Amino acid sequence: MTGGTNDSASPGGNGTHPESNPLHLSDVELDKEPSNVPPPQELQTGQPAGLWVLFITEMWERFSYYGMRALLVLYLIASTAETESNPGFGWSEANAAILYAVYTWAVYLTPIFGGWLADRFLGTHRSMLIGGWIIAAGHIVLAMTEMFGITAGEAVTLQTGPGALCSFIAGLALIVIGTGFFKPCVSVMVGQLYGKDDPRRDSGFTIFYMGINLGAFLSPLIAGTLGQKVGWHWGFGSAAVGMILGLLCYQFLRPKYLSGIGLSPKEVAANGTASAADQAELQRPLTKVDTQRIAVILILALVGNIFFWAAFEQAGSSLNVFADQNTDRTIMGYEFPSTWYQSVNALTIVICAPFFSMLWVWLAKRNANPSTPMKFAWGLWFLGLAFVAMVFGALQARDGLAGPHWLLITYVLCTWGELCLSPVGLSMVTKLAPLRLQSLMMGVWFLSFSAANLLGGLMAAFSTKFKPGADGSPAEISFVIDGLPGFFLLLVLLPTVAGVLLAIVSPVLKRMMHGIK
């Protein structure tokens, strides 16, 4: 692996990149780097050229993931009645939320194994390619679910629709496996574009985060509309197209802009693509400073990430159902698909990420940039504030449909919290983790997302207990306020308290980072 620029990436230098067979570790082609490609520091954009290749690749992967995510719960709860023009699985909301919990837990669990394989054997380049093609296959299998018959009027089970259920689960399993190979590698490769103390790193990650969210913005509009208005398999199929486009773009542009980035340890050692400093870094034993920096990653993952994403991921479950069933979505006589709300988060990132990026740089120049733990605290506070809007929206929905603005406010404030926490966290892992453990620690980072998504899905299933029964019976649970407003009030309190805890311990965590900002 390389960190920042090295001799092989300089104009006129010789570098290596394996292109002939992405599955064969010993098959390495030796090619010249294009002599007209300037090193990252000299690009007029102020960022390495490879950054744009990686964010285009991740943009399409996010298109595929968020397109499927927007449809998953809605597809599972859609009726199987004979009169239904676009039948789903006919599951209960609680059962759909549990499958959503297990799926999103698994999606973020497998990167820890993929990160280990990338660090030890494959390298991030090959691991990303393998994972990407498996993800594409998974979306194709999901689209094929519609080829199997189901029993009209009954929920899809192994008895009423074995082919459809097995195809659907197989498609989800392929996406889970592919994400394990793909997910930890792209962010690590972005980190490899920068030197150890390069001040552009945080801004680069924020730009990367903005770029990939273009895909997350487009996918609910395209895949969501196709799935809800035309047919579920059209939505799942469009997600496959997005993933394939991303992979083709990466493979076409990589030889010019990312040569020497993402190689396996064997290739780095054999071809001399690592600097002497990097070679020494890969071989040295871990120190007390390393241990404390890794501890910071783990603390922010366990406290910051889990509390933040468990509430944030209601977007794909309880908030998604609220948009579909309890929100007025009619504008000028047209009822827009509920999946369109899933684009608000990404659109807000695209609009606001440049301002957050400039804000961190502006504050850094004035020695006022908050530490990473404090940025996490601010993210959690924004998230708690966001769910205040949902409390009011749920109160209004008691007398009919909630106004469309409540979810809009919620998603915008959630996104501001995300911009304080997520791109900064990705950048932090690449700075604090020892070089030889970067992909593994990125996998650990995503492991915290796994726990958060499982918890978030179970919370969404738990939210159904706050609703009155279909027969008019009272809700099983209440918290301060009866019904869903009480559930959303819980989501105000939990991240707010977690943010306070992080703010209290942030001076200690800052010292444990030993000068890394």
Side-chain angles (χ1 to χ4, degrees), residues 245-293:
L245 285 174
L247 291 170
L248 294 177
C249 176
Y250 172 78
Q251 290 186 269
F252 178 74
L253 295 175
R254 181 182 185 270
K256 184 175 182 181
Y257 297 113
L258 288 167
S259 182
I261 297 293
L263 301 181
S264 68
K266 180 178 180 180
E267 292 159 356
V268 169
N271 302 297
T273 54
S275 65
D278 281 350
Q279 290 281 20
E281 176 69 15
L282 286 168
Q283 296 172 6
R284 71 171 178 80
L286 296 181
T287 65
K288 181 180 179 180
V289 170
D290 293 323
T291 303
Q292 291 188 352
R293 287 174 174 170

Side-chain angles (χ1 to χ4, degrees), residues 187-230:
S187 298
V188 169
M189 292 173 75
V190 172
Q192 292 172 352
L193 296 171
Y194 300 94
K196 182 178 179 181
D197 300 314
D198 195 325
R200 303 169 302 163
R201 182 184 291 256
D202 276 4
S203 294
F205 268 95
T206 303
I207 293 170
F208 171 72
Y209 207 72
M210 176 186 68
I212 64 178
N213 275 277
L214 288 173
F217 166 69
L218 292 172
S219 59
L221 299 179
I222 297 173
T225 302
L226 287 172
Q228 287 188 287
K229 297 292 187 180
V230 182

Side-chain angles (χ1 to χ4, degrees), residues 424-461:
V424 172
L426 290 174
S427 176
M428 176 202 68
V429 174
T430 65
K431 289 186 289 188
L432 292 181
L435 184 60
R436 70 175 182 270
L437 297 179
Q438 281 194 352
S439 293
L440 177 61
M441 291 311 300
M442 191 63 72
V444 171
W445 189 250
F446 287 119
L447 180 63
S448 68
F449 294 167
S450 173
N453 276 272
L454 179 62
L455 178 60
L458 295 177
M459 288 169 62

